Amino acid sequence: MKRFCCLLFVISMTTSVHSQDRGLFSLDEWEKANTAAGADYLSTEEKEVFRYLNLARTDGEKFFDSFLEIYIRDNNDLYSEKIDSKNSYLISLKKDLNKINGLQLIFPDKRLFKAAEYHANDMGKMGTTGHNSSDGSGFFDRMRLLMGTEYYLSENCSYGYGNAVDIVCNLLLDNGIPSLGHRKNILNPGQNKAGISIRPHTVYETNCVIDFYCGPEGFLKK
């Protein structure tokens, strides 16, 4: 099954979670990263995407050492060219994540969820990819319709990954995406809200849409 991601610029766990599941993160860090715990409109896996996004923003070095090797081991056969220690995207990701420490956490926003849900459902039913809706409207049109604004918003799309940690690792690695736009969106210091929707896809089995809001100051830092 093909898996990939598409970019546009502009599970709730208990305290008994095993340490190996959270890698090098402390239990306190693991629980604080779970900002979507109370969002009852999200699925378990959608909540977990928030957790892993926040873990990457809490301590990038820990995130890389905890999850990237496992991700590559489990998904390397999906890449046309295998990811190894000499892969330029992996090398740059390690450098970028090593600079990340203590970024503000991202919290769920129901309006952004509705925007992400609409697009994930639309792509899933039509078997399409990208940032345009099946009616021909673009990202900015969709954002104005659903959010009242398109400013300070950006969108990541992922296809073929249904597991939260794989979704986040894939978008961070951004293998084959010279702009590294997905990675930049995730690690943008100004990001503080997001809507996340994972839905079935007729071609890739599943797709995930993440719509971010970072506010004017954070947007300028991108």
Side-chain angles (χ1 to χ4, degrees), residues 16-17 28 32 36-37 39 54 64 106 108 119 124 126 142-143 146 169 175 182 187 189 196 210:
S16 63
V17 64
D28 182 60
K32 283 183 178 179
N54 285 325
F64 187 95
I106 297 174
H119 193 45
M126 303 302 295
R142 177 159 44 90
M143 286 299 120
L146 296 170
C169 285
N175 191 64
H182 303 101
L187 301 180
I196 296 171
I210 306 175

Side-chain angles (χ1 to χ4, degrees), residues 25 36 69 94 109:
F25 289 93
E69 182 179 351
K94 186 175 180 63
D109 181 287

Side-chain angles (χ1 to χ4, degrees), residues 106-120:
I106 297 174
F107 288 83
D109 181 287
K110 197 166 187 178
R111 297 170 304 161
L112 289 168
F113 165 73
K114 289 294 185 183
E117 181 186 43
Y118 174 87
H119 193 45

Side-chain angles (χ1 to χ4, degrees), residues 6 35-36 40 45 49 70 94 136 145 147 156 158 171 177 191 197 203 220:
C6 184
T35 55
D40 57 5
E45 209 62 39
V49 175
I70 297 172
K94 186 175 180 63
L145 177 64
M147 292 289 294
N156 285 359
S158 173
L171 292 169
I177 308 296
Q191 305 285 29
S197 181
V203 176
L220 294 175

Side-chain angles (χ1 to χ4, degrees), residues 134-150:
S134 60
D135 63 3
S137 61
F139 172 79
F140 295 126
D141 299 319
R142 177 159 44 90
M143 286 299 120
R144 278 193 292 265
L145 177 64
L146 296 170
M147 292 289 294
T149 180
E150 75 273 23

Side-chain angles (χ1 to χ4, degrees), residues 148-193:
T149 180
E150 75 273 23
Y151 299 109
Y152 316 124
L153 296 164
S154 56
E155 181 171 83
N156 285 359
C157 298
S158 173
Y159 306 91
Y161 295 90
N163 180 275
V165 67
D166 287 347
I167 290 170
V168 175
C169 285
N170 172 251
L171 292 169
L172 280 169
L173 183 60
D174 242 0
N175 191 64
I177 308 296
S179 69
L180 300 178
H182 303 101
R183 184 189 306 177
K184 290 176 181 178
N185 279 343
I186 292 173
L187 301 180
N188 182 346
Q191 305 285 29
N192 55 30
K193 296 179 183 179

Side-chain angles (χ1 to χ4, degrees), residues 73-122:
R73 182 197 68 198
D74 292 346
N75 295 280
N76 218 346
D77 61 325
L78 302 173
Y79 291 99
S80 56
E81 294 184 8
K82 303 305 181 190
I83 306 299
D84 58 28
S85 60
K86 297 180 181 180
N87 178 274
S88 61
Y89 292 92
L90 184 64
I91 292 170
S92 69
L93 176 58
K94 186 175 180 63
K95 289 180 180 178
D96 286 345
L97 285 177
N98 283 350
K99 301 173 187 176
I100 301 299
N101 189 273
L103 297 184
Q104 64 179 325
L105 299 178
I106 297 174
F107 288 83
D109 181 287
K110 197 166 187 178
R111 297 170 304 161
L112 289 168
F113 165 73
K114 289 294 185 183
E117 181 186 43
Y118 174 87
H119 193 45
N121 278 330
D122 184 55

